[in-house]
């Protein structure tokens, strides 16, 4: 499948690139700094631009069949709008190009997964270090929910750089659940499967070991 990847230079994005190419997908990566794209492959196309620029998103979207958004940012105490503004541009462009499928990776603490990350995460890390980021991820998720696109929101537990285990829990009912860790490699494998699966269409699966 030909898909647009947002966040290709991040640690999860790199896994998506590696596994996606190995599976035979054709990937267009929209990146702000092309020098950070170290992978070289005939089916990997790098477009330099900014997700906050609608024209850049439109240019990268042309000819694609789906979108995977693995957008990330560093810890900040400033007001964050990157996730919601960027996703708004993606959805606008998807409508312009008649593209329906978008897989968006957010995280534990977004939406109704808040309160399922364990005591330290729920009471210290998220409300202090990640408060502004997750407030915007909430806005991002709501934009997807209210859209007319075929969205799937993937919420990983605490991400690690470990090798894939190949076995992880995919949860929709979070009653009594405290998310553990999950490898980025397993998250990438799951996200890529959603390009062609309708099992979690319009749902918000949580991934954890």
């Amino acid at each position: 499948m030909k898909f647009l990847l947002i966040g290709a230079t991040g640690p999860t994005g790199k896994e998506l690139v590696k596994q996606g190419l190995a599976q035979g997908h054709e990937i267009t990566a929209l990146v702000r700094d092309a020098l950070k794209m170290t992978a070289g492959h005939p089916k990997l196309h790098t477009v330099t631009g900014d997700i906050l620029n609608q024209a850049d998103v439109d240019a990268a979207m042309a000819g694609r069949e789906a979108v995977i958004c693995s957008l990330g940012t560093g810890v900040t105490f400033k007001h964050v709008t990157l996730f919601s503004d960027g996703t708004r541009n993606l959805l606008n462009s998807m409508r312009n190009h008649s593209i329906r499928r978008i897989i968006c990776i957010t995280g534990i603490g977004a939406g109704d997964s808040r309160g399922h990350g364990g005591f330290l995460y729920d009471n210290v890390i998220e409300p202090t270090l990640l408060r502004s980021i997750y407030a915007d991820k909430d806005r991002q998720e709501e934009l997807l929910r209210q859209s007319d696109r075929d969205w799937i929101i993937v919420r990983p537990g605490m991400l690690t750089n470990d090798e894939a285990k190949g076995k992880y829990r995919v949860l929709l009912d979070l009653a009594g659940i405290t998310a553990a860790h999950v490898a980025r490699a397993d998250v990438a494998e799951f996200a890529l499967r959603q390009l062609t699966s309708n099992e979690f269409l319009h749902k918000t699966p949580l991934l954890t070991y």
Side-chain angles (χ1 to χ4, degrees), residues 51-97:
I51 193 174
L52 299 179
N53 185 306
Q54 186 70 68
D56 290 347
V57 176
D58 287 339
M61 192 75 70
R64 301 301 92 192
E65 299 170 293
V67 177
I68 297 181
C69 180
S70 180
L71 193 59
T73 190
V75 172
T76 180
F77 296 102
K78 297 180 180 178
H79 181 63
V80 175
T81 62
L82 171 67
F83 300 97
S84 56
D85 288 346
T87 297
R88 186 178 294 105
N89 286 344
L90 286 174
L91 292 169
N92 288 338
S93 188
M94 288 176 69
R95 294 185 191 98
N96 292 339
H97 290 274

Side-chain angles (χ1 to χ4, degrees), residues 124-180:
V124 180
I125 297 175
E126 186 183 348
T128 56
L129 299 178
L130 304 177
R131 181 176 181 179
S132 183
I133 290 173
Y134 271 85
D136 197 41
K137 287 193 176 190
D138 286 348
R139 293 188 288 270
Q140 177 188 33
E141 289 196 357
E142 187 60 24
L143 284 169
L144 291 163
R145 289 176 180 276
Q146 296 299 321
S147 77
D148 59 354
R149 300 297 93 181
D150 294 337
W151 56 267
I152 299 167
I153 294 171
V154 181
R155 295 169 172 166
M158 274 62 77
L159 289 162
T160 74
N161 294 321
D162 297 337
E163 292 186 3
K165 291 186 177 182
K167 293 183 179 180
Y168 47 85
R169 292 183 291 167
V170 182
L171 305 171
L172 296 174
D173 182 358
L174 303 185
I177 294 296
T178 298

Side-chain angles (χ1 to χ4, degrees), residues 1 3-6 16 65-71 87 90-91 94 99-106 140 144 149-155 187-197 200-201 203 205 207:
M1 179 175 284
F3 69 88
L4 173 63
L5 175 60
I6 305 298
L16 287 161
E65 299 170 293
V67 177
I68 297 181
C69 180
S70 180
L71 193 59
T87 297
L90 286 174
L91 292 169
M94 288 176 69
I99 296 169
R100 296 211 56 82
R101 179 64 54 109
I102 178 169
I103 297 96
C104 188
I105 301 171
T106 58
Q140 177 188 33
L144 291 163
R149 300 297 93 181
D150 294 337
W151 56 267
I152 299 167
I153 294 171
V154 181
R155 295 169 172 166
V187 175
E189 183 274 333
F190 178 82
L192 287 165
R193 277 196 287 118
Q194 307 319 306
L195 288 170
T196 54
S197 172
F200 297 101
L201 188 63
K203 295 179 181 179
L207 306 189

